[in-house]
């Protein structure tokens, strides 16, 4: 009988590469953006506009990347992605003009799609399809420390190095740490498939019948897009928004609760969440984010309300990352997993790219409380879409 243990070595290696991948390519940007703006002679808003456009284009590249994961292997894509990430970080560091800087940031987001969660989840599904859901939980638990580690690292480095020099350090991390680890996973997968022929036939069958898959795909993409839109909007403005409603210096402390809450939700799910199906997990994650937004909208500058908001948002976001990997596997199976998650990522990232602008505009016109209620309503539509998917999957399992 074929063993289905969680591939601890691969999960650990991917944990390291996810911390570096998210830390260098995503979380550090907000810390380094003021230095970029000063150096390039443009406004901070313009730097973030470039970042938003790059997130949108990065999202559009996700289906193409997903298809190639199925063709040549997710670990191969991740190895190439590490090389591209290192190259584009170096290109950013060198860029003598705003236009070349913008191009480099766009390429950076494309490389992000090749090395971050979407690719890592596909690698775990390829490695051990039957334990992939558990492996995804373990991986997101490790990856949750990316912001906790890299925000302080980036902030400390700005005291000694320019943003260009910091990006060269980050390029070296992607080239010398991430690329060899991804290459090792790729080689390990190839050698395992040669020695163990049953691996190539081992698949997870999806809960949805073939005729229900198109509707399921649309519903899941819509649900993740709506909940992701709500999260991206609020997260981008979290600390300034808390300060603006009257929480002053406490805003940073309250905002910092988000990261630990994310990790805590993944830990709770790892220990107690075995009885929850992926559709139920997705519903809980979307509901927590909506509840958080409603609490803040109602409580205003009341400190316990703001704390509850940050914790709920963090808990929901943490579980959401797990659901993004485990729900497509549960519904559609392991065959063609890369292409399926690529399409979903495109919808989620493309809509999420516009979220910070939309929320800022809403706050300017309607105020913080009403904006939170509007975005909570969008998140509620996401919950309803997840509920529809769950009932459809249950019906197909029964029949």
């Amino acid at each position: 009988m074929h063993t289905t243990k969680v591939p601890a070595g691969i999960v650990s290696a991917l944990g390291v590469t996810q911390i570096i991948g998210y830390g260098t390519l995503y979380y550090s940007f907000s810390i380094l953006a003021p230095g970029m703006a000063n150096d390039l002679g443009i406004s901070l808003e313009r730097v973030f506009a470039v970042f938003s456009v790059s997130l949108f284009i990065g999202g559009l590249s996700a289906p193409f990347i997903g298809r190639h994961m199925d063709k040549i292997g997710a670990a191969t894509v991740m190895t190439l992605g590490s090389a591209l990430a290192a190259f584009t970080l170096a290109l950013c560091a060198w860029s003598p003009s705003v236009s070349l800087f913008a191009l480099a940031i766009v390429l950076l987001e494309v490389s992000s799609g090749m090395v971050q969660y979407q690719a890592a989840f596909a690698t775990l599904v390829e490695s051990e399809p039957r334990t992939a859901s558990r492996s995804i939980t373990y991986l997101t638990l490790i990856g949750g420390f990316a912001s906790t580690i890299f925000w302080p690292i980036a902030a400390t480095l700005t005291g000694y190095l320019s943003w260009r020099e910091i990006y060269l350090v980050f390029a070296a991390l992607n080239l010398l740490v991430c690329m060899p680890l991804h290459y090792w996973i790729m080689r390990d997968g190839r050698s395992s498939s040669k020695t163990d022929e049953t691996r190539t036939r081992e698949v997870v069958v999806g809960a949805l019948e073939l005729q229900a898959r198109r509707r399921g795909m649309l519903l899941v993409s819509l649900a993740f897009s709506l909940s992701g839109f709500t999260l991206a909007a609020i997260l981008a403005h979290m600390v300034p928004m808390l300060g603006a409603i009257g929480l002053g210096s406490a805003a940073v402390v309250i905002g910092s609760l988000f990261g630990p809450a994310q990790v805590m939700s993944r830990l709770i799910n790892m220990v107690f969440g075995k009885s929850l199906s992926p559709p139920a997990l997705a519903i809980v994650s979307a509901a927590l984010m909506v509840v958080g937004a409603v609490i803040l909208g109602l409580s205003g500058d009341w400190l316990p309300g703001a704390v509850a908001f940050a914790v709920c948002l963090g808990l929901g976001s943490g579980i959401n990352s797990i659901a993004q990997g485990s729900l497509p596997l549960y519904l559609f199976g392991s065959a063609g997993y890369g292409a399926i998650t690529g399409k979903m990522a495109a919808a989620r990232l493309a809509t999420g790219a516009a979220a910070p602008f939309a929320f800022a505009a809403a706050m300017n016109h309607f105020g913080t409380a009403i904006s939170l209620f509007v975005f909570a309503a969008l998140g509620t539509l996401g919950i309803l879409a997840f509920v529809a998917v769950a009932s459809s999957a249950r019906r197909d399992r029964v029949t």
Side-chain angles (χ1 to χ4, degrees):
M1 185 177 172
H2 184 58
T3 181
T4 51
K5 286 182 182 176
V6 168
I10 291 173
V11 172
S12 302
L14 285 173
V16 172
T17 70
Q18 291 310 285
I19 287 173
I20 293 172
Y22 275 96
T24 61
L25 304 174
Y26 184 74
Y27 287 115
S28 64
F29 190 86
S30 61
I31 307 288
L32 302 179
M36 294 170 176
N38 288 335
D39 183 39
L40 293 164
I42 56 175
S43 67
L44 190 59
E45 288 77 15
R46 200 166 159 201
V47 171
F48 277 106
V50 168
F51 190 55
S52 289
V53 170
S54 72
L55 286 172
F56 179 76
I57 295 170
L60 295 182
S61 71
F64 175 80
I65 293 167
R67 286 195 301 273
H68 279 77
M69 285 180 203
D70 292 333
K71 279 183 187 173
I72 63 174
T76 306
V77 169
M78 293 191 85
T79 307
L80 296 169
S82 293
L84 182 62
F87 169 75
T88 49
L89 282 164
L91 184 64
C92 257
W94 171 75
S95 57
S97 65
V98 175
S99 55
L100 195 58
F101 167 80
L103 174 64
I105 293 291
V106 167
L107 289 173
L108 210 58
E109 281 310 310
V110 173
S111 71
S112 295
M114 297 170 73
V115 298
Q116 290 176 349
Y117 277 152
Q118 181 201 345
F121 294 162
T123 300
L124 291 172
V125 169
E126 278 178 19
S127 175
E128 283 288 0
R130 296 193 182 281
T131 59
S133 284
R134 256 189 305 154
S135 298
I136 285 166
T137 303
Y138 296 142
L139 178 61
T140 56
L141 182 65
I142 301 167
F145 290 100
S147 61
T148 312
I149 292 168
F150 268 87
W151 271 336
I153 286 175
T156 304
L157 286 174
T158 55
Y160 302 94
L161 303 170
S162 70
W163 73 268
R164 293 178 188 272
E165 290 163 340
I166 293 168
Y167 261 15
L168 287 175
V169 172
F170 289 172
L173 283 174
N174 279 275
L175 189 66
L176 303 177
V177 179
C178 297
M179 191 170 149
L181 286 171
H182 292 151
Y183 182 74
W184 168 75
I185 296 167
M186 179 185 79
R187 289 295 299 268
D188 180 70
R190 284 177 182 173
S191 60
S192 297
S193 63
K194 283 177 185 173
T195 55
D196 186 359
E197 288 301 316
T198 58
R199 278 176 79 101
T200 55
R201 291 195 299 273
E202 186 185 73
V203 292
V204 170
V205 178
L208 290 179
E209 297 290 334
L210 280 173
Q211 63 270 24
R213 285 195 168 197
R214 182 172 173 77
R215 178 175 172 270
M217 183 80 169
L218 289 170
L219 277 173
V220 175
S221 297
L222 175 67
F224 276 127
S225 294
L226 287 169
S227 59
F229 188 81
T230 305
L231 178 64
I234 296 170
L235 202 53
H237 297 281
M238 191 165 172
V239 174
M241 175 181 66
L242 291 170
I245 60 174
L247 289 157
S249 58
V252 176
V253 179
I254 296 163
S256 68
L257 296 172
F258 174 82
Q262 261 198 132
V263 174
M264 184 59 66
S265 69
R266 291 161 185 173
L267 191 60
I268 292 167
N269 181 64
M270 193 171 78
V271 179
F272 303 108
K274 291 183 177 68
S275 58
L276 273 181
S277 68
L281 209 60
I283 292 166
V284 169
S285 79
L288 280 165
M289 290 189 281
V290 167
V291 167
V294 170
I295 287 172
L296 187 65
L298 292 172
S299 64
D301 62 355
W302 187 51
L303 191 63
V307 169
F309 151 75
V311 170
C312 283
L313 196 71
L315 292 172
S317 172
I319 302 171
N320 184 261
S321 297
I322 300 168
Q324 283 173 25
S326 60
L327 185 58
L329 180 64
Y330 175 87
L331 293 173
F332 308 108
S334 55
Y337 178 87
I340 289 165
T341 53
K343 287 175 188 171
M344 287 184 185
R348 188 183 75 251
L349 294 170
T351 53
F357 285 116
F359 194 61
M363 284 194 291
N364 283 337
H365 284 89
F366 309 113
T368 302
I370 291 174
S371 300
L372 284 165
F373 293 140
V374 169
F375 277 70
L378 289 173
T380 304
L381 292 176
I383 297 170
L384 295 174
F386 280 132
V387 169
V389 168
S391 62
S392 178
R394 203 179 300 119
R395 207 166 44 243
D396 280 7
R397 283 259 154 139
V398 169
T399 55

